[in-house]
Structure formats: C-alpha cells, structure tokens
Amino acid sequence: MKNISSHSPLQNPQPSTTPETGQGGEEKEDQKARCEWDFNLCAVISSSDAGSTPSDAIGVVEFDQNGSFLATGGIARKIRIYSLEKSLESCQNVETGVKFLDHAAACEFYICTPAKLSSIKWKPGSGSRVIGSGDYDGVVMEYDLEKRVPVFERDEHGGRRVWSMDYSHWDPTIGASGSDDGTMQMWDPRCDGGKCLAVVQPNRVAKSPVCCVEFNPFGRPLVAVGCADRRIYGYDVRNLENPVLLLDGHQQAVTYTKFLDSRTIVSSAIDGCLMMWDTEDRTPIRTYRGHVNGRRFVGLSVWRNGGLLSCGSENNQVFVYDKRWGEPIWVRGFEPAGQPRREPGFVSGVCWRQGGDERCMLVAGGSDGVLQVFEGERKSCS
C-alpha cells in the first residue's frame, strides 16, 4: 500500500490553474458507455490469519511479460511470486465457482526485503528470472528469483522514498527510478552500484516529487515521468537535458502513467480521474471518471489488446473503463474474504494479464492484503 504516511508528496499537492474539463483536444462521446464483456470473480487469495492488518497491504501487482507469473509487493516487506499455472489456472472455469486460496498455499515462494515496497518490475530479457524493486528507504534492488538472493543494489536517492522504477525494453536494458527527492535517475544495472547515466529534475523550481516512471515499451526512446506538480514530462532518453513533451491537464499529483500504444499515454492522478493523451499532438483525448481517488495510490493498468483500462478506488471497488468512453463499463466491490474489516479499505493495485483478444484476466490487490482474480470474456454479438 502506498501513500498513507504523513511524508507522502500527495498530501499537499500544488493547486492547478488548468481546468480539468472542456479542453479543446478531447473527443466528444456520441454513444453511452456499454460493457461488451462478461467479468467473473474466479479466485480470492487471502491470509488464513484471523483479521487483516495494515501490514498485509498490497501496494503493487505485476504480471511477467509472458503472463505466467504474478508478483506482489507492499507493506509486508515481501515479494510474493505466484505461478499462474499452479495457483490460478485451475479457476479458469467460472462454472465451478470462486476458488478460495491461502497466500501460503497459492504462493510459489517469497523473498523478504529490507524495506516496504512501493514498486516492482520484471526485468525484460531475463526470462522471468530477475525482478527489480523500489522501496521506502530510497533503494532500488534486483533479485535473482531462481537463487532467491539480491544481485544488485542502488542507493542514490539520499534515503528518500522511491515511488516508481522501470526498465527499458531494448538491449542493453537500462533502468530508471523516480523519488521523493524530486529526481528521475537513469542507471545501468550491469555496472556495480548501477552507474548513473543521467539525473533529471523535471520541476527545476519546486523540486516536485516524482511519483511514476514508465519507458515506452514499443521501441520509441521515450520515458514518461509523472510528478506531484500534476504534470507529465516526456524525455527522449538520448538527450535528457530538456523534456520533449509536457502534458498538463490533471488538477492534482500524477500517480501513474501507462503506454496504451506507441503514441498514447494513460495517466492517473489524485484528482479522481484518468486521462488519455496523444503524445504526438500533446493533447488530451479523453477523461475517465467514476472511481474515488483523492489521496492514495490505487493502481492503474491497461490491457492493450482489448483497449481496457483498470484502476482501484478509495471506496474499495475495482473499476474497468473502455478506452472509447469516459464512464466505467464495469465496477466490482472488493468485499473482504469472509472476515470483518477493521477499518475502511481500498483497492491499492491492479494488473491486466497481457495477450489474447477474446478473454482477459485482471488481478486486484487490496489494503487488507487480499488478492482477487477476475476473468473476462467478450460477449457474443448475437
């Protein structure tokens, strides 16, 4: 779970003078949002311990590139690895009902980490053997999952929390991390200690915390950086001196950026909306509203083949949007798995399994430490 401490950069975001709606670049919607998918809950993974505590909170959920493994991280100081084939594939048939699993039984293994985790990413080209993490102590680490040991450590953010880290999708792989210290740092994981290739301070006046970093996964040399100053900065990795694009439309801190395709970015902010942007025209295409998000990181994921977006919500619900419409097409309450909730919870992480066209899988994690797995199937046209 992220963004609950008094040190969070989202508690006192800068006010915006940019209106959230009515921007000339946004497309008008001529049709009412409709759901062309049947979604079903197929599995719930929770702890067998009586009652959930904040220390169980899941902050990030990530599928590997092949969609074979799922990793989670958060307050518990553990990276948990789940095999889809062994833990979740048996629940593909929704007619058998919801499958309830215990973390201890469903998890292939876990790795203990020295600090609470705010970000995890599978390293491209590693065959799902290496995973990277960013933590609350400002440290980026890599772990060999076969040997289950750390193999890389980088502590160059002055002890300030790393909110996000990512890897490029070209060879050789380089990494980037964004932090409370107001910088995005790019580094080479092949070098001892992660030789710093560049340090970027997007907001050179206020040194605004960097909340999210995402490389373009489609081959373009672009990295998107979202900041607490409510702006998204785009940098050409070949020349990081100045941003090549600036996207300004959110009214509060930008918490996530995701590439939907080579030129389209979806962003999330604590103004309670998602926005889709055209990076060529530098204009907003559409704004998505319905979920509740005014304080915390609630996750953002895009299913590129199906054109679907998903995020959590502070009212403890999972939201799915179709990229064509600004209203949600599906909402599901995140009820506790047979246990009384001690305090109001929220959905804190979501991830689509990539691939496929007619069927999809969405995994959501909650502040109570519970994972819920949903399957979707495209409705028949008849």
Side-chain angles (χ1 to χ4, degrees), residues 2-3 10 163 211 255-256 295-299 346-348:
K2 294 194 284 185
N3 188 35
L10 310 188
W163 289 105
C211 301
T255 49
Y256 299 94
R295 180 185 175 191
R296 298 180 168 96
F297 288 80
V298 296
F346 63 97
V347 176
S348 49

Side-chain angles (χ1 to χ4, degrees), residues 128-334:
S128 300
R129 176 173 175 169
V130 178
I131 196 167
S133 69
D135 67 30
Y136 279 40
D137 289 346
V139 179
V140 174
M141 298 188 71
E142 287 184 353
Y143 295 88
D144 184 317
L145 298 181
E146 288 189 1
K147 298 179 180 179
R148 304 182 189 182
V149 295
V151 293
F152 171 83
E153 180 175 344
R154 186 174 192 277
D155 184 6
E156 299 296 332
H157 284 286
R160 303 294 298 277
R161 184 180 312 184
V162 171
W163 289 105
S164 177
M165 59 89 61
D166 194 23
Y167 292 107
S168 67
H169 293 259
W170 58 79
D171 186 37
T173 298
I174 59 175
S177 50
S179 168
D180 253 346
D181 66 1
T183 70
M184 184 273 288
Q185 299 187 16
M186 199 168 293
W187 35 269
D188 189 339
R190 297 171 300 168
C191 301
D192 184 29
K195 179 182 178 181
C196 190
L197 304 177
V199 177
V200 173
Q201 183 180 322
N203 189 322
R204 298 177 179 177
V205 177
K207 209 170 186 179
S208 180
V210 175
C211 301
C212 53
V213 176
E214 169 116 330
F215 285 98
N216 188 321
F218 297 94
R220 295 180 61 190
L222 182 69
V223 59
V225 181
C227 295
D229 67 359
R230 63 171 170 74
R231 296 178 177 89
I232 301 163
Y233 302 80
Y235 291 90
D236 186 323
V237 298
R238 298 166 299 185
N239 183 358
L240 293 163
E241 184 175 355
N242 294 299
V244 294
L245 66 89
L246 177 64
L247 306 178
D248 190 351
H250 281 291
Q251 292 195 348
Q252 301 285 8
V254 176
T255 49
Y256 299 94
T257 55
K258 301 291 181 182
F259 281 90
L260 186 60
D261 56 44
S262 63
R263 62 178 287 173
T264 308
I265 288 177
V266 178
S267 59
S268 174
I270 58 167
D271 55 9
C273 71
L274 312 181
M275 296 187 73
M276 183 163 65
W277 306 83
D278 186 322
T279 59
E280 298 292 335
D281 297 336
R282 295 164 173 75
T283 56
I285 301 171
R286 184 164 290 109
T287 300
Y288 305 86
R289 297 183 181 86
H291 60 287
V292 179
N293 188 196
R295 180 185 175 191
R296 298 180 168 96
F297 288 80
V298 296
L300 173 66
S301 184
V302 298
W303 180 37
R304 299 184 178 101
N305 286 8
L308 299 182
L309 325 174
S310 181
C311 64
S313 179
E314 290 171 19
N315 62 357
N316 213 32
Q317 293 180 322
V318 184
F319 281 73
V320 173
Y321 296 89
D322 188 302
K323 69 177 184 179
R324 297 171 290 179
W325 302 297
E327 299 175 354
I329 62 168
W330 184 78
V331 180
R332 166 81 185 208
F334 212 69

Side-chain angles (χ1 to χ4, degrees), residues 64-120:
D64 72 336
Q65 289 180 300
N66 298 322
S68 301
F69 294 95
L70 179 76
T72 67
I75 302 299
R77 304 183 186 220
K78 293 178 181 178
I79 299 175
R80 287 190 171 104
I81 305 296
Y82 303 84
S83 166
L84 188 66
E85 180 180 1
K86 294 181 180 179
S87 300
L88 305 179
E89 201 71 47
S90 59
C91 66
Q92 294 279 337
N93 184 356
V94 297
E95 293 182 358
T96 62
V98 179
K99 185 173 183 180
F100 289 89
L101 303 166
D102 180 79
H103 279 297
C107 179
E108 284 283 290
F109 62 91
Y110 65 84
I111 295 176
C112 292
T113 62
K116 302 172 185 177
L117 299 179
S118 49
S119 180
I120 55 176

